[in-house]
Amino acid sequence: MKIALLGYGKMGKAIEEIAEKRGHKIVLKVEEDIENYDLDNSKIDIAIDFSVPKAAFKNITTCFKQGIPVVSGTTGWLDHYEKAKKVCEENNTAFIYASNFSLGVNVFFELNQKLANMMKGLEDYSVEIEEIHHVQKLDAPSGTAITLAEQIIEKNPRVNGWQLDDAEKDEIPVYAKRVEDVPGTHTVTYDSEIDKIEIVHTAKSRQGFALGAVVAAEYLKDKTGIFTMKDVLADLFQN
Ligand SMILES: NC(=O)c1ccc[n+]([C@@H]2O[C@H](COP(=O)([O-])OP(=O)(O)OC[C@H]3O[C@@H](n4cnc5c(N)ncnc54)[C@H](O)[C@@H]3O)[C@@H](O)[C@H]2O)c1
Ligand SMILES: O=C(O)C1=N[C@H](C(=O)O)CCC1
């Protein structure tokens, strides 16, 4: 595949390495306002966006308007997600957004949903989420922590929302810690007077995120519509 990288920071570089190992070619690297680049859809099969929250929506929708499908992992811009989907559909192209492309985290998401379902009737337990990331991270809490919180809210009718730090009784407190070079650690804790249940995912590097994004791009190429990592994993496990 001929890939355009939207964002060439830590993730852009990790994706380049894995994409080239899998036989793909990086044909464009967008590092500033996307209007300064030539987005010729005859030279680009797919764009992979790991940029910054304030640029993501424009990056993604500019590609859609050129008929270029997009895999996006940028976090912190999701207020505009529904609008981005609309632009994708209007231009008859394809889109996958995931707060976390790591295959391990997507297994962790499944586990989180199952655990939330089991815990919903156990009123003695409170639930909280902690995420730890490197100090350069621009957004808090992480997109992954928000996905974990939304999954719990969907399963448990006693939980009505989430808050960074100080939460009401019916909300999930989400704690965001910033520690030097940590690639990403997420913990969901259920606590009672009697005991504590914790599930933890610890990324050891950015390789998992990058591999997942390239696998998602391979899945999305030549498709039309809006997809999620659930579709990618279902396809992967079927083959
Ligand atoms: N979904 C996932 O699996 C996953 C995994 C890791 C990181 N992320 C997210 O991906 C994003 C990037 O992470 P990172 O660690 O590579 O950050 P980074 O800061 O290392 O890289 C971001 C890059 O975007 C560039 N940039 C600035 N303005 C731009 C613009 N207008 N267009 C394109 N690029 C522009 C910056 O120069 C920088 O090089 C963050 O939002 C992060 O939360 C998601
Ligand atoms: O390094 C980051 O930034 C990460 N961002 C994603 C998030 O916000 O959840 C995924 C983990 C790494």
Side-chain angles (χ1 to χ4, degrees):
M1 285 186 304
K2 292 171 281 178
I3 299 174
L5 292 177
L6 315 180
Y8 190 58
K10 292 180 284 299
M11 280 303 298
K13 291 181 178 100
I15 288 167
E16 177 180 44
E17 199 182 318
I18 285 175
E20 286 178 347
K21 272 194 195 140
R22 292 172 74 92
H24 307 303
K25 199 162 182 241
I26 307 303
V27 292
L28 182 70
K29 292 169 187 167
V30 172
E31 295 179 77
E32 56 181 56
D33 193 335
I34 198 161
E35 282 171 10
N36 299 339
Y37 298 83
D38 177 23
L39 283 180
D40 179 348
N41 70 9
S42 69
K43 295 185 190 145
I44 300 168
D45 293 319
I46 198 153
I48 305 185
D49 169 64
F50 280 78
S51 57
V52 288
K54 68 175 175 8
F57 178 75
K58 185 172 176 187
N59 283 346
I60 294 163
T61 52
T62 304
C63 288
F64 290 156
K65 287 172 190 167
Q66 298 300 322
I68 299 169
V70 179
V71 168
S72 174
T74 307
T75 51
W77 67 277
L78 268 255
D79 288 353
H80 303 297
Y81 177 65
E82 291 302 321
K83 264 192 281 172
K85 280 191 347 189
K86 195 162 173 272
V87 180
C88 174
E89 282 161 351
E90 282 166 359
N91 289 278
N92 219 21
T93 183
F95 186 33
I96 292 186
Y97 167 78
S99 61
N100 200 309
F101 278 96
S102 146
L103 304 185
V105 162
N106 282 278
V107 172
F108 188 67
F109 283 153
E110 295 289 320
L111 207 56
N112 181 52
Q113 284 171 296
K114 287 201 167 61
L115 184 58
N117 202 32
M118 292 170 85
M119 298 305 289
K120 71 182 179 209
L122 301 181
E123 294 184 16
D124 291 341
Y125 290 85
S126 63
V127 59
E128 67 178 50
I129 296 171
E130 180 192 82
E131 56 100 334
I132 311 173
H133 285 87
H134 54 94
V135 292
Q136 294 96 28
K137 187 160 177 59
L138 296 178
D139 54 319
S142 67
T144 308
I146 295 173
T147 303
L148 290 165
E150 285 172 345
Q151 289 180 331
I152 297 167
I153 292 161
E154 199 189 312
K155 295 282 177 200
N156 189 335
R158 284 182 294 117
V159 183
N160 289 317
W162 61 266
Q163 286 292 334
L164 193 58
D165 299 326
D166 296 324
E168 299 293 329
K169 207 174 167 358
D170 63 343
E171 293 174 329
I172 306 169
V174 182
Y175 301 106
K177 294 188 180 163
R178 297 293 170 256
V179 180
E180 214 45 44
D181 294 326
V182 174
T185 301
H186 292 88
T187 308
V188 180
T189 304
Y190 290 86
D191 198 16
S192 78
E193 269 188 23
I194 292 171
D195 58 10
K196 186 153 91 171
I197 302 168
E198 276 182 337
I199 55 170
V200 186
H201 179 274
T202 308
K204 295 185 178 178
S205 71
R206 291 186 173 77
Q207 272 194 11
F209 312 136
L211 175 63
V214 175
V215 169
E218 290 165 354
Y219 169 85
L220 196 65
K221 184 183 170 284
D222 300 329
K223 288 195 172 57
T224 301
I226 312 292
F227 300 90
T228 68
M229 275 305 275
K230 259 189 190 299
D231 301 308
V232 178
L233 293 181
D235 185 66
L236 206 63
F237 294 142
Q238 197 180 39
N239 293 323

